[in-house]
């Protein structure tokens, strides 16, 4: 498969690109900073420079045309303010969804966040982040032209992946290594029957491939 990933230089995205390449897929990473291209090439991915905050849906669709699936893994980052949560975490996810539909790419996988909710209360930047992610998720779920899956990991860590997780509609809070999030994304992409599911992910005791197989079609 040819998979295009928004936020291609992110920590989860780079891990996913390596896994996709190892599995024989073609990974394309969308990045804003051309200096990040080497990191993507080292991960086996093809870099495409495109600013999702200033591009049109038609421009993004040209990049997505011919893809088998897209992954939205972009984010404004922990040092950004509430305004960029709106333009990246919500706006770019919506743009990527619109572009996927224009390009005729049905499979759309979103890396969201546990607690994402368009009506989340609070005035802190993290509250704005959860509202933005929740609004993006709601938009994606409304698109009948997309076979979407939304993955909401728990607290992300850089611990080595264990290869075992808990993946259900509601897991409760807990940590999960980024390695295991990337592994789950790979399996979700290869399992079309997970379309239409919003899933939470934390560390657990079920092998990733088995966890995805078990939830598919539910």
């Amino acid at each position: 498969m040819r998979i295009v990933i928004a936020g291609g230089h992110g920590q989860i995205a780079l891990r996913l690109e390596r896994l996709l390449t190892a599995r024989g897929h073609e990974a394309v990473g969308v990045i804003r900073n051309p200096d990040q291209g080497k990191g993507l090439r080292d991960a086996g991915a093809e870099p495409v420079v495109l600013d999702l905050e200033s591009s049109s849906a038609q421009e993004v669709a040209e990049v997505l045309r011919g893809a088998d699936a897209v992954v939205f893994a972009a984010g404004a980052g922990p040092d950004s303010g509430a305004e960029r949560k709106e333009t990246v975490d919500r706006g770019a996810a919506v743009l990527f969804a619109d572009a996927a539909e224009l390009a005729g790419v049905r499979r759309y996988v979103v890396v969201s966040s546990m607690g994402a909710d368009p009506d989340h209360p609070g005035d802190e930047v993290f509250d704005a982040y959860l509202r933005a992610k929740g609004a993006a998720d709601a938009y994606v779920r409304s698109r009948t032209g997309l076979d979407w899956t939304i993955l909401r990991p728990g607290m992300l860590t850089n611990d080595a992946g264990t290869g075992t997780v808990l993946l259900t509609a509601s897991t409760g809070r807990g940590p999960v290594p980024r390695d295991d999030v990337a592994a789950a994304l790979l399996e979700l992409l290869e399992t079309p029957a997970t379309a239409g599911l919003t899933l939470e992910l934390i560390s657990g005791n079920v092998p990733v491939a088995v966890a995805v197989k078990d939830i598919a079609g539910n």
Side-chain angles (χ1 to χ4, degrees), residues 166-217:
L166 176 61
L167 178 72
T168 66
S170 179
T171 62
R173 296 198 173 273
V176 61
R178 288 178 172 88
D179 287 350
D180 291 334
V181 177
L185 289 168
L186 174 66
E187 297 296 337
L188 291 170
L189 285 164
E190 292 186 337
T191 311
T194 57
L197 299 178
T198 300
L199 302 169
E200 294 185 351
L201 178 75
I202 60 174
S203 291
N205 56 16
V206 180
V208 172
V210 175
V212 171
K213 183 180 178 182
D214 285 348
I215 201 73

Side-chain angles (χ1 to χ4, degrees), residues 100-134:
E101 287 197 275
L102 283 173
V105 183
R106 292 196 62 91
R107 191 73 174 110
Y108 190 99
V109 177
V110 179
V111 183
S112 185
S113 175
M114 193 173 289
D117 181 348
D119 299 317
H120 180 83
D123 300 320
E124 301 297 323
V125 172
F126 189 67
D127 298 322
Y129 167 75
L130 291 177
R131 282 193 294 273
K133 295 297 282 186

Side-chain angles (χ1 to χ4, degrees), residues 50-89:
L50 189 71
D51 186 350
L52 296 178
E53 289 181 272
S54 61
S55 298
S56 68
Q58 193 60 57
E59 288 170 326
V60 180
E62 290 305 312
V63 173
L64 302 186
R65 215 170 294 283
D68 297 288
V70 299
V71 178
F72 186 82
D79 298 325
S80 62
E83 183 177 331
R84 291 204 68 226
K85 306 303 184 193
E86 184 64 17
T87 58
V88 178
D89 293 287

Side-chain angles (χ1 to χ4, degrees), residues 133-152:
K133 295 297 282 186
D137 291 354
Y139 184 84
V140 169
R141 285 196 294 253
S142 76
R143 309 312 297 169
T144 57
L146 298 177
D147 296 327
W148 53 265
T149 303
I150 294 170
L151 183 65
R152 293 176 168 175

Side-chain angles (χ1 to χ4, degrees), residues 20-75:
L20 287 167
T21 301
R23 196 73 72 91
H25 300 300
E26 183 182 353
V28 179
V30 176
I31 53 176
R32 187 174 60 169
N33 182 354
D35 294 340
Q36 296 173 338
K38 183 181 183 303
L40 269 71
R41 286 188 288 270
D42 289 346
E46 172 194 340
V48 172
V49 179
L50 189 71
D51 186 350
L52 296 178
E53 289 181 272
S54 61
S55 298
S56 68
Q58 193 60 57
E59 288 170 326
V60 180
E62 290 305 312
V63 173
L64 302 186
R65 215 170 294 283
D68 297 288
V70 299
V71 178
F72 186 82

Side-chain angles (χ1 to χ4, degrees), residues 5 12-20 71 182 185-186 189:
I5 304 167
I12 291 172
L14 287 169
R15 288 166 167 83
L16 176 59
E17 287 154 7
R18 293 187 190 98
L19 293 176
L20 287 167
V71 178
L185 289 168
L186 174 66
L189 285 164

